[in-house]
Amino acid sequence: MDTSEFRNGLSLIYDNDIYTIVDFQHVKPGKGGAFVRSTLKNLRTGRTLDKTWRAGEKMEAAYLERKPMQYLYEQDSEYFLMDMDTFEQTGVPAALIGSQAKYMKENMEIQAVTHKEQIIQVTVPDFMELAVIETDPGVRGDTASGGTKPATVEGGVVVAVPFFINVGDKLKIDTRTDSYLERVKS
């Protein structure tokens, strides 16, 4: 592929690693050749990189497959996932899961991104419903102040919640930002 095929979300191989195009801009200056400014995100590390390409420059496209998998268990710093179509189990190193591990519960469905049959990225759902396992008790009349208190939910994640939240309440949590969204009605 070349720079004329760039679009946001496209994956490519650069410097022996897989990157996704976050942003790009075709630039045609008054004199000199046209070029493309791009911001690339490394799928393995999550770091971003600014790269300028000459117009028409060629690079290798990375063909990625996203598929649902089921998280089974963790053992010796490795997380075991099962392909829901073939029932094949695959071990994934803890470093690849990263901070999302705190949200992973046995038998939950996650999304795996593969390149040439190798898992390169794992993501949990963006929103999860988790029960509060520890927080200070709510005091009657505190709801008007609009403040927050820390609450520990399943998996050990600490989230800032309104004062009216109590132990046992189920909360909707944004896993990308570790933030409270709403209390879920039972």
Side-chain angles (χ1 to χ4, degrees), residues 2-44:
D2 66 33
T3 57
S4 67
E5 299 172 50
F6 274 19
R7 65 181 186 280
N8 291 344
L10 187 72
S11 298
L12 55 95
I13 296 174
Y14 170 71
D15 208 18
N16 292 326
D17 225 339
I18 300 172
Y19 289 86
T20 298
I21 298 172
V22 177
D23 190 33
F24 72 97
Q25 177 182 15
H26 287 280
V27 179
K28 189 168 176 149
K31 55 176 145 173
F35 58 91
V36 177
R37 280 193 194 112
S38 64
T39 302
L40 308 173
K41 182 178 180 181
N42 187 313
L43 281 183
R44 294 182 207 276

Side-chain angles (χ1 to χ4, degrees), residues 63-67 83 85 112-117 120:
Y63 298 102
L64 305 179
E65 181 183 351
R66 287 168 171 53
K67 61 181 171 180
D83 186 317
D85 295 328
V113 177
T114 60
H115 176 67
K116 295 183 180 174
E117 302 297 319
I120 58 168

